[in-house]
Amino acid sequence: MKLKFTALAAAAMMAAAPAMADLIVPNLSYRTGPYGAGGTQYADGFNDYFTLLNERDGGIGGEIIQVPECETAYNTEKGVECYEATKEGALVFNPLSTGITYQLIPKVSVDEKVLYTPGYGRTSAKNGKVFEWVFNAPANYWDGASVAIKYLLDENGGDLNGKKIALVYHNSAYGKEPIRTLQELGEKHGFELMEVPVEAPGQEQKSQWLQIRRDQPDYVLMWGWGVMNQVAIQEAANIRFPMENFIGIWWAGSELDVQPAGDGANGYKSLTFNGVGTDYPLYDDLQTHVIDTGKASQGGEHVGSAVYSRGMYAAVVIAEAIRKGQEMAGTSEITPAQLREGFEQLEMTDERLVEIGLPDFGPAFSLSCANHGGNGMARLQQWDAEAGQWNLITEFTEPDAEILDPLIAEDSTAYAAENSLEERSCE
Amino acid sequence: MFYREAGDFKTTYRDDGQTFPIKLDRLGYYAILFVAALVIPFIINDYWANAILLPFLIYAVAAIGLNILVGYAGQVSLGTGGFMAVGAYSVYKLMTAFPDVSIIIHILLAGGMTALVGIAFGLPSLRIKGFYLAVATLAAQFFLVWLFNKVPWFYNYSASGQINSPERTVLGWAVTGPAASPSAKYIICLLFVIFAAWVARNLTRGTYGRKWMAIRDMDIAAEIIGVNPLSAKLSAFGVSSFFVGIAGALLFAVYLGAAEVTEAFGINKSFLVLFMVIIGGLGSIFGSFAGAAFLVILPVFLKNVLVGTLGWPTDLAAHFELMIVGALIIFFLIVEPHGLARLWRLVKEKLRLWPFPH
């Protein structure tokens, strides 16, 4: 019985091995499981941008981009399986899961593959001296926390003294990430931080919101993902918490999160590092080359949604890095090492975004050998329930480097010490 | 025909009592050991190690552990995930606190630690049984996961609450950490699997195994014939948790390399291992392997066929995978409620008589 299985599995695996040509950018997506709703939209955006490049330009630098997809269900063990199944010939991984990212960080360094984790993953991977193969531009969780506090400072005339800010977070690695930063920021600005954990996946939040109603924090920040967000927003509406004082991280800022609460969600704010909607020139090309030709992932039903746009943005940055890598290596068939060079020299300028057809879609940033995270700029968006859309309400704001840099140095040095890694010199 | 007993004479009690009394079985067992230990390590690659063989071996250890408790001693437990977490966090604390001690010792100590915790949570089994005990062990599952998530000491105060396994070596070969070769990781897991299966097999056919089975079959009768329920039940919890702890330690340190307690050791793990035991066959060491293979290899195999060969969309394939595995579980349990091990035993009996059934 067992032998037969393995023999069959072997046969299936042979057939499953990808053709060794072109540039391979696997999409470790999740369209099932508790976070499937967001994962689906993200994966669609990621696929569609590469489809557009293949259809319109014949790939990047003449090389067709292959995007084999593998279902992780947001599960770390399946994520490892997917990584091993797709890594041969692959250039870069983007697993959209902090848990899977933690599994893959040590593995990619040994296998020499690039890991690109925009807006999630291990924050201190920003330190390129320690995390040679990991990139988390344009912004990470600590940037997000800092930008949110900066926004609140602006709202309050630069003074948060004596204010109480609650953090409602997914009780996992992802949700715990901002706590240290917020504690430090609290010390600096004199606000009190109230930590309110929510167990995964997050349907059960009654007691947390009762606590919030009792303790009356001035503001609520939320690090949630998936079903947790919509439950939180609904509960906040139920206790009549003022929505404009409720700010989610970018993963708590999609249409999926606010629509179930209906009018109750009006005024809810969230961070973002990418634009939403379809008012960008690129979408005309997308319409002609991908959606109208029926090549869109899942028929293109989520085009323009917040999470779709974020998936597309990740693909845009990867594509730009590939381009840069090709330019630097002088060949179109680049290796992961050459892609890494491309990432390290990557400059996303406003002009380049205009050329791509996505003006003001993301922040301008540039990477270097030591800085794998860019300058961490993010902005805020607010939900307009009547119009059913997100409106951008601030410009791109830089986080508070004074607080973040020492934290990043501390955490990455600890990682290096734990794993006896030598820091690279970045001259 | 295939299983010939003719000419296979037993002249001592020792011969008669061996694990594989039929010569062909014995040879098959040696052949599998030979292939597993001396052939596979040389041909194994990253995919086979990390996606198929490591999880299979590690879950086999966990299933053996749980089978001792549920299959042999009849104490229903839903706390496997929590006990695996104890193993994982023990090995993590030991690895980081005593980096110079061999990882093998740490894994064994982690098993010992889990045994202590298992015995503590096994205490209610003296008063309650069946579903009520399942609920008590379920409490262990939730409590342990909550504890490891709540108390920063367990994860060395890392910012995100994740634990990462640093590189540790055995005889100069890295077996944990990213630089470990697939064969090194495979061999270390294989060693523990062989150890677990061997110990479990010999325990279950000795005095303790008989005590456990007596308690399982009828505890009052067992007590009357002189089995001490206290020592029998607690030893079952201890031995079972020891193996489950080893499985948890291997899962975290060797296979995953990083873990987050709610995700890696949640209630789903408890169910998964329990299903392995039920599908494989209660009270059977072979069944533990068969169950682990069924639930680890089959989904990967289906994924490769549906997505890789047939080119289905990944989400459709994932849903179908759940349905196919679920349907097969139901099918097997209807056709053979005693699990794959019983099915295998029947096949063997048929083959022994073939072609002249009587």
Side-chain angles (χ1 to χ4, degrees):
Chain A
M1 183 104 198
K2 218 174 75 194
L3 277 175
K4 211 169 139 199
F5 265 144
T6 37
L8 277 171
M13 231 82 73
M14 294 300 169
M20 293 302 302
D22 309 336
L23 300 173
I24 303 173
V25 181
N27 185 359
L28 301 193
S29 64
Y30 44 93
R31 295 171 185 275
T32 65
Y35 309 97
T40 301
Q41 301 194 356
Y42 190 89
D44 285 353
F46 194 78
N47 286 343
D48 284 355
Y49 186 69
F50 286 117
T51 313
L52 172 68
L53 292 184
N54 287 341
E55 294 291 314
R56 189 189 59 188
D57 313 339
I60 304 173
E63 295 288 325
I64 294 287
I65 311 290
Q66 275 192 36
V67 190
E69 203 168 326
C70 187
E71 170 71 31
T72 68
Y74 202 77
N75 172 303
T76 47
E77 279 161 66
K78 282 193 187 167
V80 172
E81 198 265 330
C82 276
Y83 170 74
E84 295 293 349
T86 51
K87 83 174 178 195
E88 206 167 310
L91 288 175
V92 50
F93 287 89
N94 171 23
L96 187 62
S97 149
T98 298
I100 299 175
T101 302
Y102 269 78
Q103 310 283 332
L104 295 188
I105 284 173
K107 292 189 204 290
V108 290
S109 319
V110 171
D111 294 333
E112 312 208 322
K113 305 279 176 196
V114 178
L115 187 62
Y116 177 55
T117 60
Y120 65 92
R122 188 175 188 131
T123 300
S124 60
K126 183 173 185 175
N127 183 354
K129 288 182 187 168
V130 174
F131 297 91
E132 200 180 336
W133 294 89
V134 190
F135 295 84
N136 58 3
N140 56 51
Y141 293 137
W142 297 353
D143 296 329
S146 175
V147 170
I149 296 298
K150 265 200 164 172
Y151 172 75
L152 294 181
L153 278 168
D154 281 351
E155 293 267 281
N156 289 281
D159 182 26
L160 282 175
N161 239 326
K163 297 275 185 205
K164 193 191 264 183
I165 298 178
L167 171 70
V168 177
Y169 64 96
H170 195 263
N171 198 359
S172 67
Y174 152 58
K176 285 178 189 168
E177 281 271 350
I179 294 178
R180 275 253 278 282
T181 316
L182 288 171
Q183 283 167 343
E184 301 264 330
L185 285 165
E187 261 169 47
K188 182 171 169 182
H189 299 296
F191 63 83
E192 185 193 337
L193 181 70
M194 176 181 151
E195 294 166 27
V196 189
V198 173
E199 290 306 323
Q203 284 108 326
E204 278 301 321
Q205 298 182 35
K206 271 269 181 294
S207 63
Q208 282 87 346
W209 288 94
L210 281 175
Q211 192 190 343
I212 286 171
R213 189 166 72 172
R214 193 185 61 215
D215 293 352
Q216 300 280 337
D218 298 286
Y219 297 98
V220 173
L221 301 182
M222 173 161 72
W223 254 245
W225 180 225
V227 68
M228 173 181 163
N229 296 334
Q230 36 177 314
V231 176
I233 291 167
Q234 182 66 57
E235 292 284 353
N238 291 352
I239 66 162
R240 297 180 196 289
F241 188 83
M243 276 295 161
E244 55 280 3
N245 293 345
F246 188 8
I247 303 177
I249 183 67
W250 34 77
W251 301 117
S254 75
E255 289 81 3
L256 293 164
D257 305 328
V258 282
Q259 272 163 350
D263 288 342
N266 192 33
Y268 171 74
K269 292 170 185 167
S270 99
L271 291 153
T272 183
F273 54 78
N274 61 277
V276 294
T278 49
D279 296 338
Y280 296 92
L282 181 87
Y283 283 97
D284 301 335
D285 283 357
L286 201 68
Q287 188 71 37
T288 346
H289 294 279
V290 180
I291 301 171
D292 289 346
T293 53
K295 296 206 164 97
S297 190
Q298 305 227 14
E301 56 177 314
H302 303 299
V303 176
S305 81
V307 183
Y308 178 95
S309 306
R310 201 160 303 133
M312 194 174 89
Y313 180 74
V316 169
V317 176
I318 289 174
E320 288 309 299
I322 291 177
R323 218 169 292 235
K324 188 83 194 175
Q326 287 175 334
E327 202 177 288
M328 291 175 61
T331 162
S332 59
E333 268 182 72
I334 53 167
T335 62
Q338 286 163 336
L339 175 63
R340 193 178 64 82
E341 294 293 317
F343 260 110
E344 287 192 343
Q345 304 297 322
L346 183 64
E347 276 188 50
M348 290 292 278
T349 57
D350 290 329
E351 295 78 56
R352 182 60 197 152
L353 280 171
V354 173
E355 276 171 43
I356 297 172
L358 293 168
D360 200 33
F361 191 77
F365 66 88
S366 62
L367 302 181
S368 68
C369 163
N371 178 359
H372 281 195
N375 44 14
M377 290 209 285
R379 68 203 307 186
L380 271 94
Q381 59 181 8
Q382 187 168 28
W383 178 247
D384 180 344
E386 206 166 310
Q389 65 174 23
W390 290 102
N391 297 318
L392 298 167
I393 53 170
T394 68
E395 286 306 309
F396 280 109
T397 317
E398 283 214 25
D400 186 349
E402 189 193 340
I403 295 282
L404 299 186
D405 289 348
L407 283 176
I408 285 171
E410 184 193 332
D411 194 68
S412 53
T413 330
Y415 178 85
E418 209 175 90
N419 294 282
S420 17
L421 291 175
E422 293 259 332
E423 279 200 13
R424 293 192 296 162
S425 70
C426 275
E427 253 94 76
Chain B
M1 174 71 185
F2 288 105
Y3 278 100
R4 263 188 304 188
E5 275 176 289
D8 194 359
F9 299 115
K10 312 282 190 305
T11 51
T12 60
Y13 288 124
R14 206 187 155 76
D15 281 350
D16 214 23
Q18 56 193 331
T19 295
F20 298 102
I22 302 171
K23 198 172 173 200
L24 199 73
D25 257 1
R26 208 155 54 233
L27 292 179
Y29 166 72
Y30 288 132
I32 288 174
L33 264 191
F34 176 80
V35 172
L38 294 173
V39 177
I40 293 178
F42 294 103
I43 54 170
I44 195 169
N45 63 16
D46 267 348
Y47 183 76
W48 275 91
N50 288 331
I52 298 172
L53 288 172
L54 285 187
F56 163 63
L57 293 175
I58 291 167
Y59 281 114
V61 177
I64 288 171
L66 190 64
N67 217 333
I68 286 176
L69 193 62
V70 181
Y72 285 97
Q75 309 294 310
V76 185
S77 167
L78 286 175
T80 320
F83 295 136
M84 285 174 91
V86 175
Y89 277 77
S90 308
V91 87
Y92 173 68
K93 288 302 286 184
L94 289 166
M95 277 164 100
T96 46
F98 307 104
D100 299 328
V101 179
S102 164
I103 180 77
I104 293 190
I105 294 173
H106 284 331
I107 293 175
L108 289 172
L109 285 176
M113 194 54 153
T114 318
L116 293 180
V117 176
I119 289 172
F121 281 101
L123 282 173
S125 70
L126 302 174
R127 283 296 181 87
I128 53 179
K129 54 188 177 184
F131 284 125
Y132 303 94
L133 182 63
V135 173
T137 50
L138 193 62
Q141 162 74 46
F142 286 117
F143 170 74
L144 291 167
V145 167
W146 172 83
L147 181 75
F148 293 131
N149 204 10
K150 179 76 184 167
V151 183
W153 180 79
F154 286 111
Y155 48 85
N156 286 358
Y157 305 95
S158 75
S160 57
Q162 286 248 359
I163 52 174
N164 289 288
S165 76
E167 180 169 306
R168 294 291 177 262
T169 56
V170 174
L171 305 173
W173 293 80
V175 294
T176 66
S181 68
S183 40
K185 292 199 261 188
Y186 167 79
I187 287 175
I188 195 88
C189 289
L190 185 71
L191 276 180
F192 277 102
V193 168
I194 293 173
F195 164 76
W198 181 70
V199 170
R201 170 66 191 159
N202 285 301
L203 269 180
T204 50
R205 61 180 184 162
T207 321
Y208 267 99
R210 284 169 205 287
K211 281 187 189 172
W212 293 338
M213 286 186 265
I215 290 282
R216 171 191 68 189
D217 291 339
M218 188 155 191
D219 49 354
I220 295 179
E223 211 173 335
I224 289 168
I225 60 168
V227 174
N228 180 355
L230 177 90
S231 76
K233 284 181 177 175
L234 291 190
S235 63
F237 265 97
V239 173
S240 160
S241 307
F242 177 72
F243 290 135
V244 171
I246 285 182
L250 290 174
L251 184 78
F252 154 66
V254 179
Y255 172 45
L256 290 177
E260 187 182 328
V261 67
T262 45
E263 211 273 319
F265 301 108
I267 181 79
N268 289 350
K269 277 279 136 60
S270 298
F271 287 131
L272 181 68
V273 180
L274 190 63
F275 292 158
M276 284 175 185
V277 170
I278 292 173
I279 288 160
L282 288 166
S284 157
I285 303 298
F286 169 77
S288 310
F289 284 93
F294 187 84
L295 285 183
V296 171
I297 298 174
L298 186 66
V300 175
F301 167 70
L302 281 175
K303 192 204 93 170
N304 280 305
V305 171
L306 297 181
V307 179
T309 314
L310 302 179
W312 289 16
T314 49
D315 50 342
L316 189 66
H319 288 132
F320 259 89
E321 201 182 292
L322 282 175
M323 286 159 60
I324 294 173
V325 173
L328 277 177
I329 289 173
I330 295 170
F331 173 77
F332 269 119
L333 291 185
I334 290 172
V335 174
E336 186 42 87
H338 297 288
L340 296 173
R342 178 76 187 137
L343 213 58
W344 173 236
R345 209 170 297 150
L346 284 176
V347 169
K348 280 203 304 190
E349 269 166 29
K350 292 252 192 295
L351 285 179
R352 278 161 83 171
L353 298 174
W354 190 85
F356 305 114
H358 51 120

